[in-house]
Amino acid sequence: MPARGPRLLAVALFLALVSPALAASPRLSVIQPRGLQRNAETVLTFSGSALGDAEEVMFYDPGFTVTKLEPVNANAFKATVKVAPETRLGEHTAQVRTKSGISDYRTFYVGALPIVDEKEPNSDFAAPQVIAMNVTVHGVADNEDVDYYQIEAKKGERISVEVEGMRLGNTLFDPFVAIMDAKRFELKSADDTALLLQDGYASIIAPEDGKYIVQVRESSYAGNGACQYRVHIGNFPRPVSVYPAGGQIGQAVDVKFLGDPSGDIAQKIQLPAEFTEHYGVFAEQNGQIAPSENVFRLFEHGNALEVEPNNELAQATPVALPNAFNGILEAPGDVDHFRFAAKKGEVYEVECYGRRIRSPIDPVMLLMNAKGGGITSNDDARGPDSYFRFSVPADGEYVLQIKDHLGRGGKDFVYRVEFQPIKQALTLSLPQTERYGQYRRQIYVAQGNRFGAVINAGRVNFGGEIALDGKDLPAGMTMVAETMPANQSSMPVVFEAAADAPLSGKLLDFTARPVDPNLKVVGHFYNRAEFVVAAPGQSLYRWKDVNRLAIAVIEDLPFKIEIVEPKAPLAQNGSMQLKIVAHREEGFNRPINIILPYLPPGVGSAPSVTIPEGQTECFYPINANGGAPVKKWRIFAHAYADISENPPMDPGKRRRRTGNPGTAWCSSQLATIEIVEPYVQFALDRSSAELGQATEMVCKVTHNKPFEGVAKVNLIGVPNKVTVGELELTKDKNELVFKIQTDPASPPGTHKNLFCQVVIPVNGEMVTHTAGTTELRLDKPLPPPVNAPKPMPTAAPAAPMPVAATPMPKPEKRLSRLEKLRLEAAQKAGTAPPAGK
């Protein structure tokens, strides 16, 4: 098989290719090696694109010190990282800040054991790679590849194996592990597990002194160069579950780790003083520690443990709220009952944690009154876990029943039920701009420039306005934001950096809170990166959630933009040309692309516009439908341009940029646009005419808003070869009459969807909106009657006799639509309409 070094390089290149590389914005595809040993120093390689100007590696957890950064090329660099001895084991997250932006975040692992590399050939059971006990092996499972490792153990010694494969987040990799004796007899194996999901573990007590073989492969032998793994091999404890699976914040709790082949492991654990969403506890024994945690819930209240027997209603374990109920379905068919008292009017969120604490249970909850009458139940409201909201109907005792959906049970079928009062919560996030990616889900503001973002807010169990805190930003950076209205879940925000702001960044605890001081809620930022997806729209296998916002000041750019705030409003059912101006540095002439990331409800726009090469402005068309809320709104524009090959400025005017060239982003200021109701409303009569004839269309005008000057009105949507003149409208005119001229070649039929476009002068600008709808019917002329007499020849006309002057006739009365229809019907019938009709 090929040497390991080139194969690992191929992995890095593969990962760089499968991750979207969007120009100069730095992208981090992979961190190699995929894990570190704590209390040691390791050189990590960060690979992706546009990483050559890296300034800082930002870690989401304490315990890491970077002692050296060394560029490799434009797309990679090396970092020498020292890991503190107290650093938490397991998955960690890092993000790169460069001079030109912030990368995606990626994960890596920290272990307690020394690291050795897989050495090929090791695919023959008879010639395995010999390793010492208590090491972590870094390897790759290629296609049809089986890797064997040989260890020695004494009789009665624990042998534990745990693999990190899918958890590394590289690719769709389902690893298999097995422990075999020297005769190739399989003692224990694992593929998928409740504890580690697609990753596996195996743990045994050695039956005799001798050599043992550990096998690692892809479960279906379909590996590839991206199927990297870290396999921990040693005599460390590897329990299956922990009981109870949660405890009170800030307290010391006694737990038992279950499922280890040496027996249960009792341990006292001091819990943190603050709530952490993703928390775990590690089993320790004889100086060894499990490679990964058992999931553990942090709760505001204490624990109530089941007391067997409690399979029957009458045997229900008495417990008190607000403690959490804890139990184990120890055998198939086991059913647990808890009895508790509650008062009328109390409302609880009742959450059963099973799969979420990595137990194999599929829990079903049934809530009953004291006599066993059913009140409510649930099976899979939280995926396989159960949940319901319980409004206590009366003072008294109630019984909660827990069972497995299929009646299964075992020593590791641990569950936990938490009764919580209804709580208010708030989360903040940035919208996803690429599928399964993190592009522009960071904030990086160029010196002397701006960067806008749309902040999403998720309110739970409350409503009202929200205010962003905007505290602890990097030096020289400020935030411009208004409060988020109660009926909105997103808002535009612009961050600005001073021209002399230092290049710096941080992982910010970005917070918000309700404007109402009576609502004691603090919202925090949340982001999810999706690493391994089976196929578009299918199962998500590996992801990482973080609770801080990556934010930085980056190197200045050769352009910035601003929106010229319109003096005239945008009317409902109207449109506007929004002027955007670019300020270019001397010598920078590249095209600048503009997008509008945030628009008010009911407002649409073109996907993007471009300020052409060498030019400094453009007009961005936007429009509002009839339901757009009437108020003043704040918007911003994003701009991006290729700044590569930009001629450097005279050093006396400005320092030379040293960051990666490529596509760079900035934003306009927060600008105001006002949406108003239409200035006028039209009621358009329907009209008809024979081809080649003229007709009129009457328009009744209702003025909603006064305006000065003369508005222009055009009838839009008329058929081919039909002409209509433009009309003028003032604030005093209440009726318009369109003169319509048809052509013999005009298309006959009923032409619908005609409407008026009104252009009204306001504050020296034009407000354009539509008004009214109608239809125009064009008829073919009727043929002459079949028996009509031929016209008689006529004599030459006599000379006209002089007549007395007569007064001009009064103008005809305009017929109504009904009168026109009656006239048409009479003409077709060859009779005059009845008098007076």
Side-chain angles (χ1 to χ4, degrees):
M1 298 190 73
R4 176 65 64 227
R7 189 162 61 172
L8 288 178
L9 177 59
V11 172
L13 292 174
F14 170 80
L15 291 168
L17 288 173
V18 297
S19 298
L22 299 179
S25 298
R27 308 304 302 267
L28 177 59
S29 300
V30 67
I31 302 171
Q32 297 282 13
R34 301 297 291 117
L36 312 173
Q37 182 186 3
R38 69 177 176 185
N39 200 25
E41 190 172 74
T42 306
V43 177
L44 295 177
T45 300
F46 291 74
S47 301
S49 63
L51 295 174
D53 61 336
E55 291 270 289
E56 179 185 11
V57 179
M58 300 188 293
F59 295 97
Y60 280 77
D61 293 296
F64 303 96
T65 303
V66 177
T67 60
K68 184 180 180 181
L69 285 180
E70 180 183 1
V72 174
N73 53 44
N75 299 316
F77 70 94
K78 291 182 178 181
T80 303
V81 180
K82 184 180 293 184
V83 184
E86 69 278 5
T87 303
R88 175 182 56 80
L89 299 181
E91 186 180 47
H92 286 270
T93 310
Q95 206 155 2
V96 179
R97 178 180 64 83
T98 72
K99 292 179 179 179
S100 54
I102 302 175
S103 76
D104 318 63
Y105 62 81
R106 294 288 171 181
T107 59
F108 62 96
Y109 276 73
V110 170
L113 304 177
I115 296 171
V116 299
D117 289 330
E118 175 197 1
K119 293 181 180 178
E120 295 283 0
N122 66 341
S123 297
D124 186 351
F125 180 86
Q129 180 177 342
V130 179
I131 60 173
M133 199 67 144
N134 294 314
V135 298
T136 297
V137 181
H138 284 186
V140 177
D142 280 310
N143 188 39
E144 299 186 358
D145 185 18
V146 180
D147 295 334
Y148 294 103
Y149 302 95
Q150 177 183 295
I151 56 172
E152 290 197 13
K154 298 291 185 181
K155 181 179 179 179
E157 185 178 3
R158 179 173 49 206
I159 303 173
S160 294
V161 176
E162 178 179 325
V163 65
E164 293 156 2
M166 184 75 80
R167 285 179 289 170
L168 297 182
N170 288 0
T171 189
L172 193 63
F173 173 30
D174 185 11
F176 172 90
V177 295
I179 303 173
M180 297 177 285
D181 63 17
K183 298 177 183 178
R184 205 166 189 161
F185 181 80
E186 187 177 284
L187 303 174
K188 194 74 177 286
S189 66
D191 181 1
D192 298 344
T193 59
L195 176 63
L196 304 178
L197 304 179
Q198 286 76 31
D199 289 345
Y201 60 88
S203 191
I204 65 168
I205 300 299
E208 59 186 15
D209 293 358
K211 295 179 174 60
Y212 293 86
I213 306 297
V214 174
Q215 181 194 93
V216 184
R217 61 176 171 84
E218 205 280 331
S219 61
S220 59
Y221 299 92
N224 57 61
C227 292
Q228 293 180 271
Y229 63 81
R230 283 167 40 89
V231 60
H232 310 280
I233 303 172
N235 49 33
F236 50 82
R238 181 56 281 169
V240 174
S241 56
V242 60
Y243 180 76
Q248 188 170 4
I249 295 171
Q251 301 297 309
V253 60
D254 292 310
V255 302
K256 280 187 178 181
F257 288 97
L258 311 175
D260 189 87
S262 67
D264 295 346
I265 302 170
Q267 202 167 315
K268 183 180 284 290
I269 296 175
Q270 178 62 48
L271 300 181
E274 295 183 358
F275 177 80
T276 301
E277 182 67 36
H278 304 288
Y279 184 74
V281 292
F282 292 81
E284 298 184 53
Q285 191 179 55
N286 302 326
Q288 295 289 338
I289 185 170
S292 59
E293 74 276 12
N294 289 89
V295 177
F296 198 83
R297 288 281 306 163
L298 298 177
F299 192 48
E300 295 178 4
H301 307 288
N303 286 324
L305 307 182
E306 68 158 324
V307 178
E308 292 285 1
N310 66 346
N311 281 39
E312 303 296 334
L313 182 72
Q315 301 170 320
T317 300
V319 292
L321 296 179
N323 289 330
F325 307 169
N326 297 269
I328 306 173
L329 299 181
E330 295 182 305
D334 191 7
V335 178
D336 291 345
H337 294 84
F338 297 88
R339 185 181 299 274
F340 63 94
K343 292 187 177 296
K344 181 179 180 179
E346 294 175 339
V347 183
Y348 294 97
E349 306 271 18
V350 185
E351 293 270 6
C352 184
Y353 292 89
R355 294 291 178 86
R356 287 176 288 177
I357 55 172
R358 303 296 175 85
S359 169
I361 188 175
D362 181 0
V364 178
M365 291 195 299
L366 170 62
L367 182 67
M368 300 173 282
N369 59 31
K371 296 180 180 180
I375 297 175
T376 188
S377 65
N378 185 257
D379 183 4
D380 293 337
R382 298 286 196 251
D385 285 351
S386 303
Y387 157 85
F388 54 73
R389 180 174 288 188
F390 174 40
S391 297
V392 182
D395 292 1
E397 288 193 331
Y398 298 87
V399 176
L400 182 69
Q401 180 193 89
I402 309 292
K403 64 180 181 180
D404 182 78
H405 179 72
L406 298 177
R408 301 170 304 146
K411 285 199 65 175
D412 56 340
F413 276 62
V414 175
Y415 63 85
R416 175 179 175 84
V417 179
E418 293 179 0
F419 277 71
Q420 299 188 31
I422 303 301
K423 287 189 172 182
Q424 297 150 342
L426 173 63
T427 57
L428 307 174
S429 62
L430 293 172
Q432 198 164 4
T433 59
E434 66 174 355
R435 194 170 193 178
Y436 309 128
Q438 304 172 50
Y439 192 56
R440 292 207 336 267
R441 300 186 86 176
Q442 315 86 18
I443 304 296
Y444 39 93
V445 191
Q447 294 164 318
N449 219 313
R450 311 179 189 94
F451 191 91
V454 178
I455 303 295
N456 296 330
R459 303 174 180 87
V460 178
N461 296 321
F462 80 96
E465 295 183 323
I466 296 171
L468 300 177
D469 289 335
K471 300 182 297 185
D472 301 322
L473 299 174
M477 186 186 295
T478 55
M479 182 184 78
V480 181
E482 297 186 344
T483 58
M484 182 183 294
N487 62 345
Q488 297 295 311
S489 59
S490 61
M491 65 182 292
V493 178
V494 168
F495 297 85
E496 300 181 350
D500 59 352
L503 301 185
S504 64
K506 61 169 54 177
L507 299 173
L508 177 66
D509 183 13
F510 189 61
T511 58
R513 50 197 87 223
V515 173
D516 184 350
N518 296 316
L519 295 172
K520 307 299 182 183
V521 183
V522 178
H524 298 268
F525 178 77
Y526 162 87
N527 189 21
R528 168 168 289 184
E530 299 162 329
F531 292 148
V532 181
V533 183
Q538 296 187 15
S539 299
L540 176 63
Y541 283 95
R542 197 64 195 165
W543 63 91
K544 180 61 179 177
D545 298 334
V546 297
N547 60 4
R548 276 174 284 166
L549 174 64
I551 187 167
V553 176
I554 62 172
E555 203 170 51
D556 62 337
L557 301 177
F559 68 98
K560 60 191 304 184
I561 65 164
E562 67 174 313
I563 295 174
V564 178
E565 287 200 0
K567 298 176 182 178
L570 172 62
Q572 292 172 327
N573 294 320
S575 60
M576 172 185 288
Q577 296 290 326
L578 192 65
K579 186 176 182 179
I580 298 177
V581 174
H583 302 281
R584 297 175 178 270
E585 188 177 89
E586 183 181 345
F588 177 70
N589 296 310
R590 293 287 183 96
I592 300 173
N593 301 289
I594 310 293
I595 61 175
L596 295 177
Y598 175 85
L599 290 169
V603 176
S605 73
S608 65
V609 298
T610 299
I611 300 177
E613 182 170 350
Q615 296 188 26
T616 58
E617 64 181 47
C618 68
F619 289 90
Y620 207 122
I622 62 175
N623 58 80
N625 65 29
V630 173
K631 59 174 289 187
K632 291 183 178 180
W633 294 88
R634 303 279 265 173
I635 64 170
F636 71 91
H638 257 329
Y640 62 97
D642 182 0
I643 62 171
S644 59
E645 302 179 14
N646 184 45
M649 284 288 293
D650 182 341
K653 296 181 180 178
R654 188 187 59 77
R655 61 178 178 78
R656 179 191 296 265
R657 296 183 187 89
T658 57
N660 270 306
T663 298
W665 289 80
C666 69
S667 300
S668 72
Q669 84 284 17
L670 269 187
T672 300
I673 61 170
E674 183 179 10
I675 297 177
V676 298
E677 65 179 350
Y679 277 72
V680 293
Q681 291 178 294
F682 289 170
L684 288 159
D685 286 350
R686 290 178 291 179
S687 187
S688 62
E690 283 191 354
L691 297 179
Q693 303 298 313
T695 187
E696 294 179 346
M697 183 175 287
V698 180
C699 174
K700 300 293 185 181
V701 180
T702 300
H703 291 268
N704 295 331
K705 292 172 63 69
F707 64 89
E708 299 299 327
V710 178
K712 303 295 184 181
V713 183
N714 285 280
L715 186 63
I716 307 298
V718 295
N720 188 34
K721 293 186 177 296
V722 173
T723 58
V724 186
E726 182 179 78
L727 302 181
E728 293 185 344
L729 176 67
T730 64
K731 64 182 181 180
D732 302 318
K733 190 177 289 188
N734 297 315
E735 183 179 275
L736 298 173
V737 179
F738 289 99
K739 302 295 185 179
I740 301 173
Q741 179 62 54
T742 70
D743 187 274
S746 297
T750 300
H751 301 274
K752 301 182 178 182
N753 302 320
L754 277 70
F755 61 92
C756 288
Q757 182 187 69
V758 189
V759 181
I760 302 170
V762 177
N763 297 329
E765 298 178 353
M766 294 297 174
V767 173
T768 301
H769 69 78
T770 61
T773 59
T774 189
E775 59 185 50
L776 173 65
R777 196 183 82 236
L778 300 183
D779 298 323
K780 293 181 180 179
L782 292 175
V786 175
N787 298 320
K790 295 182 180 179
M792 295 293 292
T794 57
M801 297 291 292
V803 295
T806 57
M808 291 292 292
K810 294 181 179 179
E812 279 187 36
K813 173 191 171 186
R814 186 178 297 114
L815 298 180
S816 70
R817 173 67 177 167
L818 181 59
E819 290 170 334
K820 288 181 180 179
L821 292 173
R822 286 174 173 168
L823 178 60
E824 289 177 7
Q827 290 172 340
K828 289 179 180 178
T831 62
K837 297 291 185 176

